[in-house]
Amino acid sequence: MSALIKNLDLVREKYPILVSDELEYLFTSNGFTLNQNKIRLLYPHQKQQVTGLVVNKKLNVSRKYIRNLRAALYSWEKFGLEKASQVYLEKYAKTPTLKRKKKSSFVEAIRGKIEFSKNVRGRSDPITQKFLDKYSELYKRDVIQAKEEPDSQST
């Protein structure tokens, strides 16, 4: 594998990808510099991804992102908030970048992922709307109901 990478580097040195003067000016005039090692050409049918977003015909999130979000909502619905939260914290919760900030809770993380998807895909996207509806249903069932239960038991 490393021999293939070395050969690819040699090819790039001999035959760098040429960018038109107009396109290069567009980048440099906006304060960017072109890194020849990161320039790549893709066919229209290939997944074109930039900073985690798919940018082929329209801006989108990856299928993996959607599948993981759907799986998290399913897990919450089927196994309950406590079990889904436990699995999330053990497997997927990343350590926070800010020292004063705690790890985000499962509920906050799911809401954030849905909001991100809504910002990228659009407010009227049916998949995002379905996720938002499912989240609202589960939130009412588990979070709001849990807050109301202690009040009803004390009276």
Side-chain angles (χ1 to χ4, degrees), residues 82-138:
E82 193 173 313
K83 181 70 175 166
S85 295
Q86 181 184 359
V87 170
Y88 167 77
L89 289 172
E90 289 172 2
K91 287 187 173 183
Y92 304 108
K94 296 177 181 172
T95 54
T97 53
L98 299 174
K99 291 184 182 188
R100 67 180 186 273
K101 189 169 165 99
K102 61 178 177 44
K103 284 185 181 179
S104 64
S105 74
F106 176 73
V107 174
E108 291 170 339
I110 296 302
R111 180 61 191 229
K113 288 176 178 287
I114 293 170
E115 289 298 327
F116 177 72
S117 177
K118 186 169 81 171
N119 283 336
V120 172
R121 295 174 67 99
R123 185 172 289 239
S124 62
D125 178 62
I127 294 172
T128 303
Q129 198 58 51
K130 184 177 173 185
F131 289 161
L132 201 51
D133 293 344
K134 180 57 74 177
Y135 172 86
S136 297
E137 173 191 323
L138 296 170

